[in-house]
Amino acid sequence: MIYLDYAATTPLSQEVFEAMLPYLREDFGNADSLHAYGRKAAYAVENARERVANVLGVAPSEVYFTSGGTEADNWAVRGMGEGGVCVSSVEHRAVLETANAFRKTAVCPVTQEGTVAPERFAAALTPETGLACVMAVNNETGCVQPLKELSALCKARGVLLFSDCVQAAGECDLKEILTYCDAIALSAHKIYGPKGVGALVVKKGVRLRPLLTGGEQERKLRGGTLNVAGIVGFARALEIAQRDRETFSARVRVLRDTFEKAICSALGGGVKIDGTNRIGGISHLTFACGGASFLSALDLAGVAAAAGAACSAHSPTPSHVLLAMGADREKALRGVRFSFGRATSGAETDEAARTVVACAQSRRC
């Protein structure tokens, strides 16, 4: 089986697992307990917080640990949103659906290439807008958004800028992104860390309302027992991902381009590459004969891919990202996301491309 769904989740790296292991067994204490076990766990959490802060170029007090990207997205919108909220039309559902709770929510359309044009963004901001949400890298298409330009527009109007960086952490410079944004969201399992842990990073001076009450954890803003092993693993995964991001991005970009060239050469007009200005690890293709049955055929033929975000995998509705990029409903049901990871080899990429072509050519539209 060839796994090409790294954008959905990645395997836990051995180095991260080894960092976590002591806190799953002998050092298992609750970080809020006052005895020696608790103190050791609390030290591990604060050490991880400092390491995350060092990677990102922020203060440790600006790092809040969460259960993952979805929670961080929810918290950012609920906790930072004042007055109106402006979101791009291709945001993760965790942002879009949370923003719907606000009475004054504006949606900024994207271009057919999947990016937020600064002029459209400026038009979408209103006098009531207090928070704008634009993800750094789209989780379906891999399109990179122009956060530097959008940040300038926000600063000129006194609008906070939040960016979901879950898909960006493996290939983009998060320290640079944080020079543009007031807050970002991260998730460990996209960068070879454990599932169920992530972070919301909020710049000093930005008001953040509590997410979970009933405990004093995370400066009384997010109650609940801390996932010590997960937090330690997240910190190590983030360090490795940001250290190796340039080498990793260059390598998977070569694999992706080879993959797309082989498929497009064989299928011609029967396939379309979605989006421009993309990270290297994601290839989103719309097939003339795509859809759920095509994904099933790929699965049976030995290639694991996805229709889009794993969070929406069980929904029969068309991709909201493709719809936002101008596709009609039928085409928005025929997109397939292939994503490449550390273990993906050139031989696997070539074999996967041949399998995709064979499955596409065996179907009738």
Side-chain angles (χ1 to χ4, degrees):
M1 190 76 179
I2 300 173
Y3 185 75
L4 293 184
D5 199 17
Y6 287 92
T9 196
T10 57
L12 186 69
S13 80
Q14 183 64 29
E15 190 171 349
V16 170
F17 171 72
E18 290 173 0
M20 295 173 60
L21 193 56
Y23 302 97
L24 293 168
R25 300 175 69 173
E26 57 267 24
D27 298 328
F28 58 86
N30 187 321
D32 293 294
S33 296
L34 299 180
H35 47 60
Y37 286 91
R39 291 195 300 272
K40 183 172 284 190
Y43 173 80
V45 168
E46 293 316 308
N47 177 259
R49 197 186 307 275
E50 290 178 5
R51 288 162 59 192
V52 169
N54 182 60
V55 170
L56 300 177
V58 299
S61 61
E62 296 173 315
V63 178
Y64 299 86
F65 293 117
T66 69
S67 66
T70 293
E71 182 186 309
D73 283 349
N74 270 258
W75 193 2
V77 179
R78 296 179 193 278
M80 295 169 57
E82 296 281 358
V85 177
C86 178
V87 299
S88 86
S89 56
V90 294
E91 292 301 294
H92 191 282
R93 289 289 187 189
V95 169
L96 290 173
E97 294 184 14
T98 306
N100 284 339
F102 287 77
R103 287 183 300 166
K104 298 176 181 178
T105 296
V107 178
C108 176
V110 296
T111 65
Q112 290 185 342
E113 289 73 38
T115 56
V116 177
E119 60 272 16
R120 294 189 183 186
F121 184 71
L125 297 176
T126 70
E128 293 79 21
T129 303
L131 174 68
C133 305
V134 181
M135 64 199 322
V137 173
N138 186 262
N139 55 309
E140 292 191 28
T141 62
C143 291
V144 181
Q145 302 297 350
L147 291 178
K148 182 178 181 179
E149 292 83 354
L150 304 184
S151 172
L153 292 169
C154 286
K155 284 181 169 61
R157 303 193 187 196
V159 174
L160 297 174
L161 178 60
F162 162 69
S163 185
D164 177 331
C165 290
V166 168
Q167 211 61 249
E171 297 193 50
C172 301
D173 185 346
L174 296 179
K175 189 176 290 188
E176 179 183 354
I177 288 174
L178 271 162
T179 65
Y180 310 135
C181 300
D182 297 286
I184 67 170
L186 298 167
S187 184
H189 78 105
K190 306 290 188 177
I191 49 174
Y192 302 85
K195 296 177 179 65
V197 64
L200 176 64
V201 181
V202 182
K203 295 281 191 68
K204 184 178 180 181
V206 175
R207 179 171 178 259
L208 181 66
R209 291 184 292 276
L211 175 69
L212 300 175
T213 57
E216 298 184 355
Q217 294 85 358
E218 298 304 272
R219 280 140 281 167
K220 298 184 178 181
L221 296 178
R222 182 192 181 275
T225 303
L226 292 170
N227 178 1
V228 179
I231 288 169
V232 170
F234 169 59
R236 188 67 193 118
L238 186 65
E239 288 174 330
I240 296 169
Q242 284 291 284
R243 181 195 69 193
D244 298 341
R245 63 181 177 79
E246 291 182 346
T247 302
F248 171 75
S249 185
R251 191 182 75 81
V252 292
R253 187 176 297 276
V254 171
L255 295 176
R256 185 203 67 190
D257 291 348
T258 301
F259 177 78
E260 290 180 346
K261 183 178 180 180
I263 292 173
C264 291
S265 296
L267 298 181
V271 64
K272 173 182 173 292
I273 297 173
D274 299 310
T276 59
N277 190 31
R278 302 169 294 156
I279 59 169
I282 292 180
S283 171
H284 197 283
L285 306 176
T286 296
F287 294 87
C289 299
S293 61
F294 182 52
L295 279 173
S296 297
L298 288 176
D299 184 32
L300 292 173
V303 175
C311 300
S312 304
H314 298 284
S315 173
T317 57
S319 164
H320 75 281
V321 173
L322 294 184
L323 289 174
M325 291 168 63
D328 59 32
R329 188 180 188 281
E330 183 183 354
K331 289 181 180 178
L333 286 166
R334 300 204 304 262
V336 180
R337 182 187 67 187
F338 303 92
S339 44
F340 307 83
R342 292 177 187 171
T344 310
S345 68
E348 281 186 322
T349 302
D350 293 341
E351 177 60 26
R354 288 192 291 268
T355 301
V356 170
V357 169
C359 287
Q361 291 178 335
S362 66
R363 298 169 61 81
R364 297 289 182 268
C365 293

